[in-house]
Amino acid sequence: MKILLTNDDGIYAPGLRALRKELQSFGDVIVVAPAVEQSAAGHSVTLLHPLVVAEVFDESNQFLGWAVEGRPADCVKLALLELLPDPPDLIVSGMNHGSNAGINVLYSGTVAAAVEGAFFRKTAIAISLASKKAKPSEFAEASKFAVKVIRQIVDTQPQAGMLYNLNLPAPELGEIKGVKILPQNVAPYTENFHRRTDPRGRVYFWMGNDYGCPDPHPGTDESALSEGYLVITPLQFDLTNRVELQRLKQHFE
Amino acid sequence: MKILLTNDDGIYAPGLRALRKELQSFGDVIVVAPAVEQSAAGHSVTLLHPLVVAEVFDESNQFLGWAVEGRPADCVKLALLELLPDPPDLIVSGMNHGSNAGINVLYSGTVAAAVEGAFFRKTAIAISLASKKAKPSEFAEASKFAVKVIRQIVDTQPQAGMLYNLNLPAPELGEIKGVKILPQNVAPYTENFHRRTDPRGRVYFWMGNDYGCPDPHPGTDESALSEGYLVITPLQFDLTNRVELQRLKQHFE
């Protein structure tokens, strides 16, 4: 099994390190990841700037992969088109510090990297831990569980290009209650900006840190995650709203 | 009709200026747009940096709106949560220079701004002109056509939060052949990187400009656009792949 590992927290993030260690029992892992943190990068890509690339070695002086001065999706493109000696069988993105459920899926660089892999018709899995303050030991525990689930998914022999979003519950909820396969929550989030004035008198806004989804729809990634389950959500990149397409067509004919 | 206008090419882009002019016949237009170009920003948002905001006036010294030192999606959030005196009835994003069809929809800051509007349950329309070198007069022509179509869509009284992606054909294809309502193309793109060495000997890659979709699926945005039609694609932000969800569930039970 040839595995490409990437993330959006940067190549030195503890979540990536923990996941790499567990994935090595499952296959050959090569990392191509952003040189620095790219949180909330969404599916941005770099067209107007060069992508500087550097080889990186781990603490045992083993080849880890490449650090890219770009976005998570840039990393996957570069890995598949330029860097990897052989095409990977599987692309894994994570483990992100913080959940990527509900509409946050669309802001997520972690998920975008997996979507980019699916563009190339590879099996791609995004993995996130629903904690902003997880310790390395908690990433290690979560990675053990996550890699078991990755193996289970791969064992079902998904079609080429299938795309999965995995979220693991916050460690403080205790032992993981089990695995649920559920749709993405689409309920609105609450969020706010802090309005401030800079030392030169200019107004600026800064996104507050107390956003959340106060009322997630039951039976979705967001709700099951808060109940302590690992949630798998299969995703697609065809965004067409076919119901609305039919409605609108009737009006335009 | 209160209209919020945004884009990803920046508040001084000719595509935005042309669209604003036409939209003013349809309602009160306030612009909240990035201070500088944000192409391929995807649905990135700014969490780790402040968003400096400045009032902007047009060439007749009329209030145009606010320039935001952030991403297209940041602009929509800020507009709805902080800047606009009243909630808008409609959010329009564009007119982008360059098409946003097929899987490019996922890289597009123009589309992401509209998706952000749909998160707030507003009717939101992204508009792109399939030309990287359109002249201001071509944006003006295209805007006339686009605003007619926007009016038609609004007249159908779509449900709150409906989201549309409009692509106008390249001006060099001649007069627009008509309007088609079609799904997003999901066929793969070809793309490549230029590999170079910087003056300090470091390797870098730069995304080539000759990407494209050599074989778009018939009956999609991409194919009809190349045939000279304006294409409307209703979009959604629930990315759940429900077919794969059912398949995977059977394996996990």
Side-chain angles (χ1 to χ4, degrees):
Chain A
M1 199 80 182
K2 292 188 189 74
I3 303 169
L4 166 65
L5 177 60
T6 188
N7 74 348
D8 81 347
D9 291 328
I11 197 162
Y12 300 107
L16 180 137
R17 187 177 293 169
L19 199 47
R20 174 176 178 249
K21 198 177 162 200
E22 290 302 321
L23 282 170
Q24 281 174 327
S25 69
F26 187 36
D28 294 326
V29 184
I30 296 188
V31 176
V32 182
V36 294
E37 183 177 343
Q38 298 290 327
S39 286
H43 209 136
S44 52
V45 285
T46 305
L47 307 179
L48 305 179
H49 301 277
L51 297 166
V52 176
V53 166
E55 290 193 350
V56 175
F57 293 80
D58 69 10
E59 288 183 3
S60 322
N61 298 325
Q62 296 298 306
F63 180 62
L64 185 105
W66 289 271
V68 176
E69 291 182 12
R71 304 299 194 170
D74 293 324
C75 293
V76 173
K77 272 190 206 297
L78 262 183
L80 297 178
L81 294 173
E82 295 285 344
L83 298 174
L84 296 186
D86 304 295
D89 306 300
L90 177 67
I91 298 174
V92 178
S93 178
M95 172 176 295
N96 191 60
H97 81 293
S99 83
N100 281 307
I103 61 172
N104 280 330
V105 163
L106 287 107
Y107 300 125
S108 165
T110 307
V111 174
V115 173
E116 188 65 42
F119 285 172
F120 286 87
R121 304 302 188 259
K122 300 290 172 191
T123 305
I125 303 179
I127 304 178
S128 306
L129 180 59
S131 167
K132 284 278 182 198
K133 48 186 181 190
K135 296 171 201 140
S137 61
E138 290 169 328
F139 278 119
E141 272 308 303
S143 292
K144 277 182 198 159
F145 205 107
V147 170
K148 268 186 214 156
V149 174
I150 291 174
R151 278 177 186 261
Q152 278 181 286
I153 292 172
V154 172
D155 284 346
T156 71
Q157 300 185 298
Q159 267 191 298
M162 280 297 143
L163 173 64
Y164 306 93
N165 188 29
L166 264 64
N167 280 285
L168 287 99
E172 51 267 34
L173 295 180
E175 220 163 286
I176 297 174
K177 290 206 177 68
V179 175
K180 293 215 172 186
I181 304 171
L182 290 169
Q184 176 195 331
N185 175 55
V186 292
Y189 273 62
T190 54
E191 50 196 353
N192 62 76
F193 286 98
H194 297 229
R195 187 185 194 281
R196 298 180 183 178
T197 308
D198 85 355
R200 279 154 199 83
R202 301 182 306 168
V203 171
Y204 67 91
F205 295 87
W206 206 314
M207 172 72 74
N209 198 29
D210 49 346
Y211 55 86
C213 188
D215 198 16
H217 297 156
T220 63
D221 53 0
E222 200 79 68
S223 59
L225 194 58
S226 67
E227 290 158 8
Y229 291 91
L230 182 155
V231 186
I232 308 174
T233 307
L235 300 182
Q236 61 188 5
F237 55 78
D238 179 351
L239 308 189
T240 311
N241 181 337
R242 285 164 203 276
V243 175
E244 178 61 11
L245 189 147
Q246 288 311 324
R247 189 197 72 89
L248 198 66
K249 249 185 160 170
Q250 286 166 5
H251 281 280
F252 271 72
E253 268 158 10
Chain B
M1 198 79 180
K2 293 189 190 74
I3 302 169
L4 167 64
L5 177 61
T6 189
N7 74 349
D8 80 346
D9 292 327
I11 196 160
Y12 299 108
L16 181 138
R17 187 178 293 168
L19 199 48
R20 174 175 177 249
K21 199 178 161 199
E22 289 302 321
L23 283 171
Q24 281 173 329
S25 69
F26 187 38
D28 295 326
V29 183
I30 295 187
V31 177
V32 182
V36 293
E37 183 178 345
Q38 299 289 326
S39 287
H43 209 136
S44 52
V45 287
T46 306
L47 306 179
L48 305 179
H49 302 278
L51 297 166
V52 175
V53 166
E55 289 193 350
V56 175
F57 294 80
D58 69 12
E59 289 183 2
S60 323
N61 298 325
Q62 297 295 305
F63 180 63
L64 184 106
W66 289 271
V68 176
E69 291 183 11
R71 303 297 193 173
D74 293 325
C75 293
V76 174
K77 273 189 206 295
L78 261 182
L80 297 178
L81 294 174
E82 295 285 343
L83 298 175
L84 296 186
D86 304 294
D89 305 302
L90 177 67
I91 298 174
V92 178
S93 177
M95 175 177 294
N96 191 60
H97 81 294
S99 83
N100 281 306
I103 60 172
N104 280 330
V105 163
L106 287 107
Y107 300 125
S108 166
T110 308
V111 174
V115 172
E116 188 65 42
F119 285 172
F120 285 88
R121 303 301 188 261
K122 301 289 172 192
T123 305
I125 303 180
I127 304 178
S128 306
L129 179 60
S131 167
K132 283 279 182 199
K133 48 189 180 186
K135 298 170 199 142
S137 62
E138 291 170 327
F139 278 120
E141 274 307 303
S143 292
K144 277 182 197 156
F145 204 107
V147 169
K148 270 186 213 154
V149 175
I150 291 174
R151 277 177 187 263
Q152 278 181 285
I153 292 173
V154 171
D155 284 346
T156 71
Q157 301 188 297
Q159 264 192 302
M162 279 299 144
L163 173 64
Y164 306 93
N165 187 30
L166 265 64
N167 280 285
L168 287 98
E172 52 267 33
L173 295 181
E175 220 163 284
I176 296 175
K177 291 208 178 65
V179 176
K180 294 216 171 186
I181 304 171
L182 290 170
Q184 177 196 331
N185 175 53
V186 293
Y189 273 61
T190 53
E191 51 196 352
N192 62 75
F193 286 98
H194 298 229
R195 187 186 193 279
R196 299 182 182 177
T197 308
D198 85 356
R200 279 155 199 83
R202 300 182 308 167
V203 171
Y204 68 91
F205 294 88
W206 206 315
M207 173 72 73
N209 199 28
D210 49 346
Y211 55 86
C213 187
D215 197 18
H217 297 156
T220 63
D221 54 0
E222 200 78 66
S223 57
L225 194 57
S226 66
E227 292 157 7
Y229 291 92
L230 181 154
V231 186
I232 309 174
T233 307
L235 299 182
Q236 61 188 6
F237 55 79
D238 180 350
L239 307 190
T240 310
N241 181 337
R242 285 165 205 275
V243 175
E244 178 61 11
L245 189 146
Q246 288 311 323
R247 189 197 72 89
L248 199 65
K249 250 186 161 170
Q250 285 166 5
H251 281 280
F252 271 73
E253 267 159 9

